[in-house]
Amino acid sequence: MSHTEQNRPIVEIRRVSKSYRSPEGATINAVSDLSLSIAAGQFTTLLGPSGCGKTTLLRMIGGFEEPDGGNVLIDGVEMTFRPPYERPVNTVFQQYALFPHMTAAENIGYGLSVARVPRAEIAKRVAEALELVRLDNFGSRSVRKMSGGQQQRVALARALILRPKILLLDEPLAALDRRLRKDMQFELKKLQHELGIAFLCVTHDQEEALAMSDQIVVMNGGRIEQIGTPWDVYQKPQTRFAAGFVGEMNFVPAVARPKEGRDNRFEAADGAELFASCGAAAGTPHLLALRPEQLRVADAASTTDGLPVIAGRVVESIYLGTSTRVEVSAAGHTLHAAFDGGRAPWAPGQTIHLVYDPANVMVLAP
């Protein structure tokens, strides 16, 4: 697939809305006037908390739900009200829905059997699918005797054997343990690159989205908060929700003050001064945001490298193996700092100085 083909829209969502009635009779707006474009060769993830509308949107693309308004186009063709079997898509669900009485090969080839594809062709494509998901020698094994990770691969192969133009993945790794989830994140990404087709994945796991995606769509309350690469949504969040949901963030409300030197000055509620490279009109309230890993401790004034410092008192220091998390009472708030390496020597009540780079401080609307 050429670069141009990879970047053409394979799915276009145009001002789609969907609402439901609660048992009490209230209207719940699951998706509200939402527009989105998904490129043909892209791994896109819908990321957000439970109830944000991501699964509803996925189901409307797959044909399992009909929108109240708007249009769904797949590869340029109107698909808004077509049933799932008339759409060039396939879906892998959280619960893999494999047939327990069948072997892996029988599960994978089932859709082709229903479509009355000749047996020789089915056998050939099943063998190719098993090789694709690295289960070459497992075709004759009952799925009941396979591990969770192996069953997940069978579900993937069953979906991919029908050669969809886009593969929909609804929380595909949720049933796996943490270690296997991490392994399968890389396997899914590698598989998507090998196939060159679009994957659209739903998850509430930020780390999973960052690891797998070319594009992340952050959703909240049935709307899109931000669309961007993993780097964009982590390093340059556009809203408070996006900043707080994707990774961990320190937030400090502050008022902009007249600029001093090259950086912009802000004053927190307790009078502490903070600095940011991003500008703001003096006297206006803002929300300053800084990642925990972008704070470090200064042992002495000589270690600040000319960067600003926040003085604070240690509330708690927690050793996590590969890193240490420290809670610090500073600037009228509890700030979280994360440090790589061994156990931190800081004790509760100890005064420490946190050094930060103003270029890393994000200035958001209050």
Side-chain angles (χ1 to χ4, degrees):
M1 184 181 293
S2 70
H3 180 73
T4 301
E5 290 174 324
Q6 282 185 325
N7 286 279
R8 69 181 173 84
I10 192 66
V11 174
E12 294 175 85
I13 309 298
R14 299 177 180 174
R15 306 196 66 176
V16 162
S17 296
K18 180 69 178 180
S19 62
Y20 300 98
R21 286 283 183 180
S22 71
E24 295 76 23
T27 299
I28 300 172
N29 296 315
V31 176
S32 302
D33 196 28
L34 186 147
S35 296
L36 175 66
S37 179
I38 299 168
Q42 199 170 55
F43 196 125
T44 298
T45 298
L46 303 178
L47 175 66
S50 297
C52 73
K54 56 188 185 296
T55 296
T56 299
L57 179 58
L58 188 89
R59 290 177 61 82
M60 286 191 287
I61 295 171
F64 303 104
E65 298 277 0
E66 291 186 353
D68 299 329
N71 302 89
V72 177
L73 283 75
I74 301 177
D75 204 16
V77 179
E78 173 68 49
M79 293 279 175
T80 308
F81 299 108
R82 289 196 187 184
Y85 58 83
E86 291 185 3
R87 302 187 183 209
V89 306
N90 219 329
T91 306
V92 176
F93 297 99
Q94 180 177 337
Q95 302 300 328
Y96 308 133
L98 299 174
F99 298 112
H101 62 285
M102 291 185 181
T103 65
E106 290 168 343
N107 267 281
I108 293 169
Y110 180 77
L112 297 179
S113 299
V114 171
R116 298 187 182 278
V117 173
R119 288 186 180 181
E121 177 67 12
I122 292 176
K124 175 176 175 291
R125 287 171 62 176
V126 166
E128 292 172 348
L130 284 165
E131 183 178 0
L132 184 68
V133 297
R134 297 160 185 82
L135 289 176
D136 312 49
N137 300 317
F138 289 82
S140 61
R141 181 171 298 187
S142 168
V143 294
R144 287 180 293 189
K145 296 181 180 180
M146 302 181 82
S147 68
Q150 290 168 340
Q151 289 183 12
Q152 200 254 15
R153 291 168 191 257
V154 171
L156 279 170
R158 184 179 62 180
L160 291 168
I161 200 171
L162 298 176
R163 298 171 181 170
K165 292 184 177 179
I166 181 168
L167 181 66
L168 308 180
L169 301 146
D170 188 7
E171 300 274 7
L173 308 182
L176 306 180
D177 61 55
R178 180 176 175 81
R179 177 63 182 270
L180 190 52
R181 281 181 74 134
K182 285 183 173 291
D183 291 341
M184 287 306 301
Q185 288 168 13
F186 292 103
E187 289 290 334
L188 274 177
K189 183 64 176 174
K190 183 177 179 181
L191 182 61
Q192 191 267 333
H193 276 166
E194 289 177 359
L195 294 170
I197 67 171
F199 280 26
L200 178 61
C201 181
V202 161
T203 185
H204 61 270
D205 187 311
Q206 302 96 321
E207 183 179 293
E208 192 168 286
L210 292 169
M212 297 193 300
S213 311
D214 298 311
Q215 172 178 263
I216 296 176
V217 181
V218 182
M219 293 185 64
N220 180 35
R223 300 181 184 275
I224 294 174
E225 290 273 339
Q226 184 171 349
I227 302 175
T229 65
W231 191 93
D232 289 333
V233 298
Y234 189 83
Q235 298 290 352
K236 301 294 180 184
Q238 296 173 355
T239 66
R240 175 171 185 160
F241 177 85
F245 189 79
V246 183
E248 190 175 0
M249 187 73 79
N250 291 305
F251 292 110
V252 179
V255 176
R257 296 306 183 200
K259 188 173 182 179
E260 285 189 2
R262 64 174 185 172
D263 295 315
N264 295 277
R265 185 166 60 96
F266 294 82
E267 184 178 337
D270 69 344
E273 285 191 332
L274 299 155
F275 296 88
S277 297
C278 185
T284 57
H286 291 275
L287 193 66
L288 304 186
L290 186 64
R291 298 284 183 194
E293 66 270 19
Q294 292 170 335
L295 291 164
R296 66 179 177 87
V297 173
D299 297 321
S302 60
T303 65
T304 65
D305 299 322
L307 296 173
V309 172
I310 306 171
R313 180 177 54 81
V314 174
V315 177
E316 188 62 80
S317 178
I318 303 172
Y319 175 64
L320 299 173
T322 57
S323 65
T324 298
R325 174 190 172 95
V326 183
E327 293 186 358
V328 181
S329 178
H333 293 269
T334 298
L335 304 182
H336 299 131
F339 307 101
D340 292 336
R343 184 181 297 276
W346 307 292
Q350 179 180 350
T351 298
I352 61 173
H353 295 83
L354 299 174
V355 182
Y356 64 97
D357 188 337
N360 292 327
V361 177
M362 291 164 265
V363 180
L364 304 175

